[in-house]
Amino acid sequence: MSSPYTGTQQPSPAPHQLPAAQQNHSLAFRVMRLSRPSLRPDPAALLRFDPRDVFLPEDALTSPDPSAAADFLQGLLHPPDSGAATTVPGDFTFRDRFLLHDTADALAPPGLLVLPQAFGAIYLGETFCSYISINNSSGLEAREVIIKAEIQTERQRILLLDTSKSPVESIRSGGRYDFIVEHDVKELGAHTLVCTALYNDGDAERKYLPQFFKFTVSNPLSVRTKVRTIKDTTYLEACIENHTKSNLYMDQVDFEPAQQWSATILEADEHPSVVKSTIRDLCKQPILIRAAGGIYNYLYQLRPSSDEPGQIKTEGSSILGKFQITWRTNLGEPGRLQTQNIHSTPTPSKDVDLRAVKIPPVIFLERPFMVNLCLTNQTEKTVGPFEVFLAPSVSGEQKTVLVNGLQKLVLPLVEAFESINFDLSMVATQLGVQKISGITLYAVQERKYYEPLTDIEIFIDAE
């Protein structure tokens, strides 16, 4: 359903043109934006709804004794076992039934659909559709009319209509020429709809008519993101907030990951009472984000799409992807937005990576056990040799898990993007939950210490 409304403005003449009134133009543009009407109650035509109309008998308010209606309603609101009942205030007649005390009481259909009287709010991602009429209000005929319509923004000019190759042959006195233009709004800020006409007047004089219609494009929603990285898994949280005065029904909120990532949306488990079916999946209800500040959160789990070490640290890998968002308003007007690329939190690149691969499931007190470690070269050159040892505690506390045997383990050279696995013999000196801390890597030739391995919690049992 299209609902036009006028949005005409006085033309702003070009520097070399006289005002339209001084040129005595025969033609003039009128612009109406095609959009849905809004839901707005009309206080003059609405009825007031009262709960007594539902609970009371049909003839209760017209009976000789109106107090009987009060007693009946009082009994419904305050049963005998609920304690002392209070008197129900109000007039129990039809005297004020047609007075609208609250717009929320409006139930009658008259006046609910209202056509706005201005361009109204125009949001990014919508389609601006306008009905333009050029009419001849003079007593002369306009011939060979060339009409142009374009949208001007701060960055560009978009041509919507141009009849230069096929001019309108004639617009007679009292006649008009109508057309419709559409434009997908992709920029924020000030926009100007420029309508121009070049025509021959009745006295064969070639005249130029420009008219300008200005409007502003606002942002309908904002997308705030948070990125958290835990080991090899990255979590992306997106919060979508509605800035419009209308409810938004989200048809699609899809995250398109970059080439080196794969994404999985994380959703809450449904209640066991919810029946799953194929029809329910096909007819999935859109997510509602309420007007004027309503929000909805999405959570995605991202993992590298390739397990090859050489492809993880590629150029531009900080780009996670972007969102494709589509929605509809209360009366079905569509909107679509695509966000900019979302970047991950920058982390310092490491030449080598040391991590624990395997730890025995059962560890006994004062019995040696092996911790399997993996050293990965993440550069394009050969690195090494290295030394692995257990650094002393910074706080001076005595360690409960020690190296068993040689205190330093020497590792050979590691080729580019290659890995080596090795075992480190250790022994625990106390029972219970303990930590393996301080495993440090030292590059012999570069004389460089790397950051110690993250503490590993283990449980020590007695034999």
Side-chain angles (χ1 to χ4, degrees):
M1 176 180 176
S2 297
S3 59
Y5 58 89
T6 57
T8 58
Q9 297 183 5
Q10 293 298 325
S12 300
H16 60 279
Q17 294 288 335
L18 293 175
Q22 297 184 18
Q23 290 194 4
N24 297 321
H25 282 287
S26 301
L27 303 180
F29 286 100
R30 294 293 181 268
V31 174
M32 295 184 295
R33 181 188 172 197
L34 298 179
S35 64
R36 265 74 169 180
S38 61
L39 293 170
R40 189 177 305 169
D42 183 5
L46 293 176
L47 300 176
R48 184 188 178 198
F49 170 77
D50 194 287
R52 292 170 293 181
D53 297 332
V54 177
F55 294 109
L56 295 180
E58 183 177 358
D59 57 348
L61 299 176
T62 58
S63 62
D65 184 11
S67 61
D71 296 338
F72 182 83
L73 184 61
Q74 183 176 343
L76 289 176
L77 298 178
H78 305 282
D81 58 349
S82 63
T86 58
T87 305
V88 180
D91 184 3
F92 287 87
T93 66
F94 288 103
R95 183 170 55 188
D96 63 343
R97 274 302 195 270
F98 290 92
L99 299 179
L100 184 65
H101 295 275
D102 190 346
T103 54
D105 296 335
L107 291 183
L112 289 181
L113 295 180
V114 178
L115 304 183
Q117 299 301 313
F119 263 73
I122 301 177
Y123 295 103
L124 188 69
E126 296 181 343
T127 299
F128 173 74
C129 185
S130 181
Y131 178 90
I132 303 177
S133 175
I134 179 171
N135 58 82
N136 187 351
S137 58
S138 69
L140 303 176
E141 181 182 20
R143 302 185 59 84
E144 297 297 322
V145 183
I146 298 177
I147 303 172
K148 290 185 180 181
E150 62 182 7
I151 291 287
Q152 291 185 3
T153 67
E154 296 179 357
R155 298 181 180 180
Q156 59 181 340
R157 301 176 64 169
I158 303 102
L159 185 64
L160 305 179
L161 176 73
D162 187 0
T163 64
S164 299
K165 295 183 179 179
S166 56
V168 179
E169 183 177 353
S170 172
I171 301 179
R172 59 181 178 79
S173 175
R176 71 178 189 272
Y177 179 81
D178 304 330
F179 56 95
I180 295 175
V181 295
E182 292 185 353
H183 169 63
D184 293 333
V185 181
K186 299 180 180 180
E187 293 185 38
L188 293 171
H191 285 58
T192 304
L193 174 62
V194 183
C195 301
T196 61
L198 188 64
Y199 63 99
N200 289 331
D201 209 342
D203 53 2
E205 180 184 358
R206 197 68 172 167
K207 289 187 176 181
Y208 176 72
L209 170 66
Q211 282 188 256
F212 304 84
F213 306 87
K214 297 182 179 181
F215 58 92
T216 302
V217 175
S218 306
N219 207 340
L221 49 85
S222 60
V223 181
R224 300 189 299 272
T225 59
K226 292 182 180 179
V227 180
R228 298 287 185 272
T229 301
I230 303 175
K231 295 183 179 181
D232 295 334
T233 305
T234 299
Y235 295 93
L236 171 64
E237 179 185 356
C239 176
I240 299 180
E241 182 177 357
N242 182 1
H243 295 308
T244 71
K245 297 181 180 180
S246 170
N247 292 336
L248 297 183
Y249 299 86
M250 313 308 291
D251 289 335
Q252 173 190 20
V253 179
D254 289 342
F255 179 72
E256 297 181 353
Q259 184 177 3
Q260 66 271 18
W261 295 97
S262 61
T264 304
I265 187 170
L266 303 179
E267 298 178 332
D269 295 335
E270 294 182 342
H271 193 274
S273 62
V274 178
V275 179
K276 294 185 177 180
S277 65
T278 305
I279 297 178
R280 182 176 176 272
D281 293 338
L282 294 176
C283 304
K284 189 175 181 180
Q285 293 292 328
I287 294 174
L288 169 63
I289 303 182
R290 297 194 176 276
I295 62 174
Y296 196 87
N297 294 290
Y298 296 83
L299 182 62
Y300 295 84
Q301 183 186 64
L302 307 180
R303 292 181 180 274
S305 57
S306 175
D307 295 332
E308 299 181 15
Q311 295 185 2
I312 296 178
K313 296 294 181 181
T314 57
E315 184 177 358
S317 60
S318 63
I319 298 177
L320 299 179
K322 53 190 175 183
F323 279 95
Q324 296 282 357
I325 304 173
T326 60
W327 69 87
R328 292 185 179 274
T329 58
N330 288 333
L331 293 177
E333 286 184 297
R336 179 180 180 274
L337 279 182
Q338 176 181 287
T339 65
Q340 296 180 347
N341 286 324
I342 299 171
H343 295 260
S344 61
T345 305
T347 55
S349 60
K350 297 179 2 181
D351 297 337
V352 295
D353 177 57
L354 179 65
R355 66 180 186 275
V357 178
K358 185 178 180 181
I359 299 174
V362 180
I363 301 174
F364 296 104
L365 180 66
E366 298 180 352
R367 290 277 299 272
F369 63 93
M370 292 293 182
V371 177
N372 184 255
L373 302 170
C374 178
L375 177 63
T376 303
N377 179 7
Q378 300 182 141
T379 66
E380 298 179 352
K381 61 181 181 179
T382 303
V383 295
F386 298 97
E387 291 180 354
V388 179
F389 59 93
L390 202 65
S393 176
V394 178
S395 60
E397 297 180 1
Q398 185 178 3
K399 291 183 178 292
T400 57
V401 181
L402 306 173
V403 175
N404 180 44
L406 294 176
Q407 297 300 302
K408 288 187 178 180
L409 183 63
V410 179
L411 302 179
L413 298 174
V414 183
E415 300 294 332
F417 301 118
E418 294 293 334
S419 301
I420 58 171
N421 289 68
F422 60 96
D423 293 325
L424 186 63
S425 178
M426 309 195 77
V427 62
T429 60
Q430 290 186 16
L431 294 172
V433 178
Q434 307 297 336
K435 289 183 179 180
I436 302 176
S437 60
I439 299 178
T440 306
L441 185 68
Y442 174 70
V444 178
Q445 292 184 355
E446 291 84 358
R447 297 182 180 180
K448 177 181 178 182
Y449 289 93
Y450 291 91
E451 187 177 351
L453 189 66
T454 306
D455 292 351
I456 305 171
E457 287 190 350
I458 57 175
F459 180 76
I460 311 301
D461 199 357
E463 295 188 38

